[in-house]
Each structure stands twice: as structure tokens, then as C-alpha cells.
Amino acid sequence: MGLFDKFKEKVSQAMQSTGDALGFTKLKQGLEKTRSSFLHNLQGILGIGRKIDETLIQEIEDLLISADVGVQTSDLIIDSLRKRVKEEGHENADDVFNMLKEEIHGMLLKSPSASNDADYSIDENNKPHTIMVIGVNGVGKTTTIGKLAYNYKNAGKQVLIGAADTFRAAANEQLEVWAERAGVPIVQQAPGADPAAVAFDTLKSAQAKGFDVVIIDTAGRLHNKSNLMAELSKINRVMKKLKDSAPDDVYLVLDATTGQNALQQAKEFLKVADITGIVLTKLDGTAKGGIVLAIANELKIPVRYIGVGEKIDNLQVFDPDYFVEALFGT
Ligand code: GDP
Ligand code: GDP
Ligand code: MG
């Protein structure tokens, strides 16, 4: 059985056994904009009875780039496609659909995201599992924290949220709303308080009460790199006073609708923080979801979660198999 058939089988088995608890349908709906424009354009290029030639390959590369896959990653996919066409002697454009799907899948399987083991379990011997969430303003940090808290809670974990975005006055209220939706408590101080102090209080309280998971929201300023670095390292340092390994995870949140800018932001943040995972939000809000492929391929850290809507149950563990299956939508 080929790779392709194997993951198709995995998807259909998972849907049968879980009644779609893994949210494949939701993923497909969330990717609808990207999927419909991508597939429509791809089918337009492949046409009926067209032969594979250099022009066709070029058109596919342009399609990838226009879906925000980025030049570097598009090149990689196209090179492997070209090689296969030659080696296997394909002539009909019809063959390209499945080959492209397989090459994109293969690229993801070679990326750090292939080893994404994000689920909602934690190391019971190293509690509380401490997550710091970073990223520029408006990317969806607070929303993602609400969704993460909700998912951890549904997995039977006790979650405490820390409101260390003390920069904006409204930040506390927004986080409170999400904490309430998720049904988890929150630790906060007055706006303007030291973010590190909030992180410290949160972790300390979680330890005292035996919580499983701590999630720390942060402010999203990137206008001054040395400020940001100082603030993040101070939060880190203060949390380490309470727990050596804290923060156990640092998630960088990126907004898929900002396309190649998201990749640029990631490169900047990687210089100042030990990021352990990417959360890519708002995939439902863009036709350029190809940015996932660029991020997965070009960064050395895995895409852990994707946001496919504004509701609390719209955060999904990123799974390359499901993603490709949903994108090509067969
Ligand atoms: P923060 O400034 O990084 O904390 O960003 P927020 O969490 O406040 O989110 C900014 C906006 O993005 C809000 O209007 C959210 O509803 C929206 N948002 C966040 N995640 C998603 C998502 O996955 N899909 C959509 N469509 N909107 C999202
Ligand atoms: P500094 O502000 O650069 O001197 O950094 P510190 O390492 O002293 O701590 C930063 C913040 O974390 C402080 O403002 C405190 O509010 C908080 N913090 C650090 N250590 C403790 C502690 O032992 N107890 C409490 N309650 N807060 C602490
Ligand atoms: Mg926020």
C-alpha cells in the first residue's frame, strides 16, 4: 500500500472509530477558502487531456506561490514533482493531481511538524506543565489560550491561566472572558503590573493547589526587540525560581492571514525566544493557507496547533496527514 493510500485509510478509520472526534470535518470546513481556491485553480491548470510540459509545471509553481507557500518551499515541491515526472515517465496532466498531493505530503513528513506529538497529555512527574504564549498583537494569543485551556480541561486536566499581558488595559478582561468560557480560573494583577510577577504568582498558585497545566498570556510588542527579549527572559527567569524546566513550552502564535509576514515574524521571534512550537491561527479566514507549508518546511520547530475558527472548539492539533487530506479534499 502506498503512503497515500495508507493515510487515506488512517483518516477514514479515525472517522469511523471516533465519529469524527478528531474534527476532520471541522478542519475541512476551516480550510474551505484555501481548499476551494487552490483546487479550483489546480483543476483549471490540469484541464482535460493536457500534457505535462514545462509551462504546466511553471503554472503549478505560480499557483503554490499565490497560495502563500513561498518561493523556497514551492521550489522544493516543484523540484521533486519534476523529478518524479521524469523518472516515472508521466505524460498526462491528470497524473499531476495525486503526485502533487503526495509531494506536499512527503515534504510535511520530512518537516519538524511530522513529529508533532502535541496532545493534551502531560508529564505527570513534572507538573504543572507550563506554557508561555507569545506573538505580536492581534494574532490570536488570548483566543488560543482559551481554546487550549478548554481542550486541556476536556482532557481532564486542571488548568490555571496567568494574565501576564499587563500592557493593554483591556487584556485582562479579554482573557477573563476566555477563561470563563473554558471554565478555568485566572490569575491577574492591575494593568501595568510586572508581567514576570504575574507569571510568578500564577505558577506559585498552581503549584500550591496541585494544578496540571499553567498557561501564561503575554503582551505582543515587537517594536523594540531588546525590550521584548528583556521581558521574555525576565518571565523565564522568574518562573525558573519555582520550576527548573519552566516554561516547559513556548508557543509562538502566528496569524495565517498575514501570509509571508507570519514567517518573517517567526524568524524575528526565534532570535529572542526558545520557541518549542508554532500555533497558526485564522486558517479559516484566508484563501492562502499554503503558508502552513512554508512555516512547516522553513522553520526548525513544529506547527503544534492550528486555529480554524473563532469558537472555543476551533483549535486543532496539526496533523500533516489530515491537513493534506483536507486540503485536497477528496
Ligand atoms: P492577541 O492580541 O494575540 O491576544 O489576539 P486575540 O486572541 O485577541 O485575537 C485577535 C482576533 O483574532 C480576535 O478577533 C479573534 O476572534 C481572532 N481569532 C483568533 N483566532 C482565530 C481563528 O482561528 N480564526 C478566526 N477566524 N479568528 C481568530
Ligand atoms: P527584577 O525585577 O529584574 O529584579 O527581577 P526579579 O527576578 O527580582 O523578579 C521579577 C518579578 O517577579 C518581581 O517584580 C516580583 O514581583 C516577582 N518575583 C520574583 N521572585 C519572587 C518571589 O520570591 N516572591 C514573589 N512573590 N514574587 C517574586
Ligand atoms: Mg491578547
Side-chain angles (χ1 to χ4, degrees), residues 136-143 147 174 281-282 284 307-310:
V136 307
N137 270 337
V139 289
K141 291 182 296 299
T142 302
T143 308
K147 293 169 173 177
Q174 283 169 354
T281 62
K282 309 189 200 180
D284 56 305
V308 292
E310 289 183 279

Side-chain angles (χ1 to χ4, degrees), residues 135-144 147 165 168 174 178 217-218 253 255 280-285 306-311 314-315:
V136 307
N137 270 337
V139 289
K141 291 182 296 299
T142 302
T143 308
T144 297
K147 293 169 173 177
D165 176 1
R168 284 182 318 116
Q174 283 169 354
W178 277 105
D217 197 6
T218 65
V253 180
D255 174 348
L280 191 63
T281 62
K282 309 189 200 180
L283 268 171
D284 56 305
I306 52 177
V308 292
E310 289 183 279
K311 299 214 184 75
N314 285 149
L315 186 76

Side-chain angles (χ1 to χ4, degrees), residues 5-254:
D5 298 320
K6 250 188 246 160
F7 84 80
K8 237 176 140 169
E9 192 178 87
K10 171 179 158 183
V11 171
S12 77
Q13 270 174 4
M15 289 190 62
Q16 275 164 24
S17 65
T18 62
D20 200 26
L22 292 168
F24 185 69
T25 308
K26 241 183 255 164
L27 173 62
K28 222 169 149 178
Q29 282 163 358
L31 281 179
E32 191 51 38
K33 285 186 189 159
T34 299
R35 199 169 72 93
S36 58
S37 88
F38 179 74
L39 288 186
H40 175 81
N41 292 334
L42 179 59
Q43 275 149 2
I45 292 169
L46 300 182
I48 297 165
R50 196 172 164 186
K51 297 283 173 215
I52 301 175
D53 56 16
E54 193 45 40
T55 314
L56 180 121
I57 304 250
Q58 199 57 56
E59 285 172 31
I60 291 171
E61 173 146 33
D62 292 346
L63 167 66
L64 292 177
I65 290 168
S66 73
D68 252 335
V69 177
V71 175
Q72 190 179 323
T73 303
S74 299
D75 272 354
L76 188 84
I77 295 166
I78 290 297
D79 283 350
S80 56
L81 183 70
R82 208 180 254 124
K83 210 167 133 210
R84 252 187 90 181
V85 166
K86 204 170 159 191
E87 280 173 8
E88 297 173 11
H90 294 276
E91 288 180 0
N92 296 322
D94 281 353
D95 298 351
V96 171
F97 188 89
N98 278 343
M99 273 194 282
L100 184 62
K101 184 173 177 180
E102 285 167 12
E103 293 314 314
I104 289 175
H105 189 223
M107 182 277 287
L108 282 176
L109 291 183
K110 277 186 231 144
S111 78
S113 299
S115 60
N116 179 24
D117 58 355
D119 51 17
Y120 297 97
S121 62
I122 56 164
D123 180 356
E124 293 293 335
N125 299 315
N126 193 29
K127 287 200 313 195
H129 183 69
T130 308
I131 302 166
M132 179 160 84
V133 178
I134 64 175
V136 307
N137 270 337
V139 289
K141 291 182 296 299
T142 302
T143 308
T144 297
I145 288 167
K147 293 169 173 177
L148 278 173
Y150 174 80
N151 290 349
Y152 271 113
K153 197 183 170 201
N154 283 342
K157 305 289 182 274
Q158 273 198 294
V159 184
L160 187 61
I161 294 177
D165 176 1
T166 58
F167 189 68
R168 284 182 318 116
N172 276 359
E173 288 156 43
Q174 283 169 354
L175 193 60
E176 242 177 274
V177 169
W178 277 105
E180 214 164 277
R181 282 181 192 146
V184 310
I186 177 175
V187 170
Q188 52 182 309
Q189 293 184 11
D194 183 348
V198 178
F200 185 92
D201 280 358
T202 311
L203 182 50
K204 184 149 189 164
S205 165
Q207 285 175 325
K209 294 174 183 156
F211 277 75
D212 303 302
V213 180
V214 164
I215 312 177
I216 305 290
D217 197 6
T218 65
R221 284 157 293 151
L222 192 59
H223 64 258
N224 183 332
K225 209 165 96 185
S226 63
N227 267 355
L228 178 76
M229 186 160 27
E231 182 164 306
L232 295 180
S233 70
K234 185 170 169 186
I235 296 176
N236 268 288
R237 177 162 46 83
V238 168
M239 283 201 286
K240 280 192 198 307
K241 289 185 181 181
L242 296 170
K243 188 186 178 202
D244 273 348
S245 65
D248 299 292
D249 271 310
V250 177
Y251 290 154
L252 174 65
V253 180
L254 299 171

Side-chain angles (χ1 to χ4, degrees), residues 314-329:
N314 285 149
L315 186 76
Q316 301 206 325
V317 172
F318 180 65
D319 180 315
D321 299 352
Y322 286 110
F323 185 82
V324 174
E325 195 57 42
L327 179 65
F328 281 81

